[in-house]
């Protein structure tokens, strides 16, 4: 399906000019994200209703464990009106079904690969044993199956799951291998936050389409040999929410909880409604207290939970969720049409959760990780500490229970994702973060920036990875393995 990393990187110094919507900078000589322009007829914005993915049901329950099955298979979906788009989907849908689970109640997900390529399942944000974490070389071959055990010893949070195959995550997620995963707990259930139909998972991504509706991606659909020009990242010109282009949702004059997930390969978003939003959560779950914001910036892989009170708008009002990081069609995301009155007993309390603050002063070591482009196999690649990813080489061996500070430095923008444990941001360019602590699993490094994070390695030993969540950067070697001992 796709060239190997060595093939890709042989000529990979070609990307030069970024599409301005990416949020990445223009460091001279560094490959930048490239925009793929659709040839298909595109719908008018807000002409398609917002779909809400089905909630997966367990295939069985054994004691305190729930068992699920996810079949990966090729299918067709009507993403653009009137056209059939071949996809790869969990359950044959894009996005896949939403999995809802309870903190502390283990689940087991059986992944059945009915595709023609190997795959890997990763629960992004999951606190997961190494053998179920979705290491990029733990492949599930075509026709094979694998069980992933998720103990869910973690707080309520908005997570997501996606393919994580080494060198091929970008094209396989682009084809549709992604879905939402919600963890709930008793602390959150006791809060009067919006629930039911007013608790909305919104998986946001961008795609581009050929004239016949086929997904465009370098190296796919008869376009071999062009992927190297896109090593800076692939940008689509159609914004999808839950798999629909620029959709509209009819809402009541009431509060809604929006679980925002940036599932794009390389595009960063600055999301705004033109009015106040109340942020209640980040990657790692609830904040200690809500905060009112005018915009939310999400790099690839990041999530944020916000509450929007549509009672502030008159009947008939239409409220756009826009992307301030782009112009034109890529500056639109979706629209809410306020069309009815309904009772609403929800609220956003002044205190949401108890968030433990990690003390960087208790770190046993500070480690440095430099994210940069560099020479690789005669071309240009993406490196960590000057080296490409090698699965057997451990860049760090933290001890179970230890607190460590990791100093992350970038050349251009890199959204950095840490597997196993959530972390807290200590400083940005040497400026200490203030305010209540919050848990993250992905942090955006901006151009020429240094971010210090503090984390504690808990519960599970084994091998994990740290990587850039620009999926083209990840596929082209920007990953490092570490082992908890």
């Amino acid at each position: 399906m796709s060239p190997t990393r060595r093939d890709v990187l042989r000529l990979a110094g070609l990307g030069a000019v970024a599409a301005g919507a990416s949020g990445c900078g223009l460091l001279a000589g560094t490959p930048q994200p490239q925009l793929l322009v659709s040839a298909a007829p595109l719908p008018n914005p807000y002409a398609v209703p917002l779909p809400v993915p089905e909630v997966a049901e367990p295939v069985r329950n054994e004691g305190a464990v729930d068992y699920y099955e996810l079949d990966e298979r090729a299918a067709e979906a009507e993403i653009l009106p009137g056209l059939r788009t071949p996809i790869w989907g969990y359950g044959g849908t894009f996005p896949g079904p939403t999995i809802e689970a309870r903190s502390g109640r283990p689940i087991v997900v059986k992944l059945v690969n009915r595709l023609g390529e190997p795959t890997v399942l990763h629960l992004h944000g999951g606190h997961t044993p190494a053998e179920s974490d979705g290491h990029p070389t733990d492949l599930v071959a075509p026709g094979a199956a694998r069980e992933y055990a998720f103990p869910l010893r973690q707080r309520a949070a908005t997570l997501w799951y996606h393919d994580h195959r080494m060198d091929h995550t970008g094209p396989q997620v682009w084809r549709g291998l992604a879905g939402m995963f919600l963890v709930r707990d008793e602390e959150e259930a006791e809060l009067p936050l919006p629930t039911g139909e007013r608790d909305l998972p919104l998986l946001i991504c961008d795609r581009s389409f050929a004239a016949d509706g086929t997904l465009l991606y370098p190296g796919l659909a008869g376009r071999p040999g062009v992927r190297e020009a896109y090593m800076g990242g692939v940008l689509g010109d159609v914004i999808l929410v839950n798999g629909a282009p620029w959709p509209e949702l009819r809402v009541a004059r009431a509060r809604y909880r929006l679980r925002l997930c940036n599932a794009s390969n390389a595009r960063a978003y600055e999301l705004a409604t033109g009015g106040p939003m109340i942020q209640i959560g980040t990657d790692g779950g609830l904040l200690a207290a809500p905060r009112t914001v005018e915009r939310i910036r999400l790099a690839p892989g990041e999530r944020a939970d916000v509450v929007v009170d549509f009672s502030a708008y008159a009947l008939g009002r239409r409220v756009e969720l826009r992307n301030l990081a782009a112009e034109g069609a890529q500056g639109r995301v979706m629209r809410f049409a306020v069309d009815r009155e309904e009772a609403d007993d929800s609220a956003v309390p002044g205190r949401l959760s108890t968030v433990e603050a990690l003390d960087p002063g208790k770190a046993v070591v500070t480690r440095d990780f430099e994210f940069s482009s560099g020479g690789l196999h005669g071309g240009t690649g993406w490196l960590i500490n000057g080296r490409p990813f090698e699965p057997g080489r451990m860049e760090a061996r933290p001890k179970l229970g230890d607190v460590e500070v990791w100093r992350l430095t970038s050349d251009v923008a890199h959204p950095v994702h840490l597997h196993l444990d959530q972390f807290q941001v200590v400083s940005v360019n040497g400026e200490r973060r203030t305010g209540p602590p919050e848990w993250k699993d992905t942090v955006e490094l901006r151009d020429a920036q240094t971010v210090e994070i503090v984390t504690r390695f808990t519960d599970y030993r084994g091998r994990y990875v740290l990587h850039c969540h620009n999926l083209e950067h990840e596929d082209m070697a920007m990953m490092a393995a570490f082992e908890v001992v």
Side-chain angles (χ1 to χ4, degrees):
M1 180 188 70
S2 304
T4 66
R5 180 193 296 161
R6 288 178 182 269
D7 294 334
V8 169
L9 294 175
R10 183 171 49 84
L11 300 172
L14 302 179
V17 180
S22 70
C24 293
L26 298 177
L27 191 64
T30 303
Q32 301 295 329
Q34 301 289 305
L35 182 69
L36 285 171
V37 178
S38 293
L42 302 180
N44 291 327
Y46 319 133
V48 176
L50 175 76
V52 179
E54 291 186 359
V55 176
E57 293 290 339
V59 295
R60 70 181 190 277
N61 311 98
E62 292 184 5
V65 181
D66 298 322
Y67 288 80
Y68 293 81
E69 287 191 7
L70 286 177
D71 279 7
E72 299 172 307
R73 62 178 184 268
E76 288 189 345
E78 187 173 333
I79 298 175
L80 302 179
L83 294 176
R84 304 298 295 178
T85 297
I87 64 163
W88 289 0
Y90 298 108
T93 65
F94 169 58
T98 299
I99 297 177
E100 295 191 6
R102 300 288 297 182
S103 174
R105 182 176 176 88
I107 75 167
V108 174
V109 175
K110 181 180 181 181
L111 183 72
V112 182
N113 184 356
R114 304 189 190 280
L115 299 168
E117 296 280 347
T119 62
V120 176
L121 179 66
H122 172 56
L123 177 56
H124 185 121
H127 182 58
T128 304
E131 58 272 16
S132 293
D133 184 60
H135 193 278
T137 60
D138 288 347
L139 303 179
V140 181
R146 180 181 181 132
E147 287 191 340
Y148 294 81
F150 302 130
L152 299 178
R153 298 172 63 178
Q154 60 190 105
R155 309 169 72 228
T158 299
L159 313 181
W160 64 302
Y161 62 93
H162 59 81
D163 186 78
H164 206 252
R165 176 188 171 196
M166 178 176 163
D167 297 350
H168 296 270
T169 298
Q172 296 192 176
V173 170
W174 189 273
R175 282 180 153 177
L177 293 178
M180 299 287 278
F181 191 113
L182 310 183
V183 181
R184 304 186 185 276
D185 65 13
E186 290 303 319
E187 179 186 50
E188 182 185 78
E190 292 176 357
L191 299 175
L193 298 171
T195 60
E197 293 182 353
R198 297 181 193 157
D199 182 356
L200 282 170
L202 299 177
L203 185 140
I204 304 169
C205 61
D206 55 348
R207 298 290 186 268
S208 296
F209 298 86
D212 61 357
T214 303
L215 287 166
L216 289 178
Y217 188 86
L220 297 183
R223 303 181 68 202
V226 299
R227 190 177 171 196
E228 63 272 6
Y230 290 83
M231 68 167 288
V234 177
L235 303 175
D237 62 353
V238 179
I239 307 301
L240 305 177
V241 184
N242 292 349
W246 303 293
E248 182 178 80
L249 177 68
R250 296 183 179 276
V251 296
R253 295 187 67 243
R255 294 179 188 85
Y256 283 71
R257 177 179 184 171
L258 309 180
R259 298 176 181 261
L260 306 168
C261 173
N262 183 353
S264 291
N265 282 33
R267 182 182 294 277
Y269 299 85
E270 290 194 18
L271 301 172
T273 62
M277 298 182 289
I278 303 175
Q279 185 176 4
I280 61 170
T282 55
D283 304 339
L286 291 173
L287 299 171
R291 57 180 177 233
T292 300
V293 297
E294 297 295 326
R295 62 178 67 184
I296 293 282
R297 184 175 176 89
L298 295 179
E302 288 187 299
R303 287 91 61 214
D305 284 21
V306 301
V307 172
V308 177
D309 187 356
F310 291 105
S311 70
Y313 301 95
L315 288 176
R317 181 74 178 272
R318 287 167 169 79
V319 180
E320 287 186 292
L321 180 64
R322 297 189 64 87
N323 173 25
L324 303 182
E327 297 179 350
Q330 289 94 61
R332 296 185 172 101
V333 178
M334 66 173 293
R335 187 170 73 180
F336 302 92
V338 184
D339 72 345
R340 63 192 183 276
E341 300 279 1
E342 284 184 358
D344 181 16
D345 60 358
S346 70
V348 179
R351 178 190 175 279
L352 296 169
S353 180
T354 300
V355 180
E356 177 193 7
L358 289 183
D359 182 0
K362 295 182 178 179
V364 299
V365 66
T366 296
R367 303 183 191 270
D368 285 285
F369 295 88
E370 181 185 6
F371 293 74
S372 65
S373 62
L376 181 63
H377 306 315
T380 301
W382 296 105
L383 313 176
I384 298 179
N385 289 343
R387 294 184 290 269
F389 177 56
E390 293 295 342
R393 184 185 64 238
M394 299 299 135
E395 296 290 338
R397 283 191 165 86
K399 293 181 179 179
L400 191 69
D402 277 358
V403 174
E404 294 195 0
V405 169
W406 288 13
R407 187 183 296 119
L408 317 173
T409 303
S410 64
D411 52 358
V412 294
H414 298 292
V416 177
H417 174 47
L418 176 65
H419 286 220
L420 177 59
D421 280 293
Q422 302 280 334
F423 57 78
Q424 294 171 2
V425 174
V426 177
S427 68
V428 176
N429 282 346
E431 184 175 343
R432 189 70 175 259
R433 277 287 179 92
T434 59
E438 58 186 62
W439 291 108
K440 297 277 294 171
D441 58 56
T442 306
V443 64
E444 182 183 24
L445 306 185
R446 306 295 289 272
D447 300 345
Q449 192 174 70
T450 296
V451 174
E452 287 186 321
I453 63 173
V454 59
T455 190
R456 180 174 57 219
F457 298 93
T458 59
D459 291 328
Y460 309 117
R461 292 181 169 88
R463 59 177 186 164
Y464 294 90
V465 291
L466 169 80
H467 62 87
C468 179
H469 218 280
N470 176 320
L471 298 186
E472 285 69 48
H473 292 190
E474 174 186 335
D475 283 348
M476 298 181 188
M478 189 165 263
M479 188 180 309
F482 66 94
E483 183 181 15
V484 181
V485 297

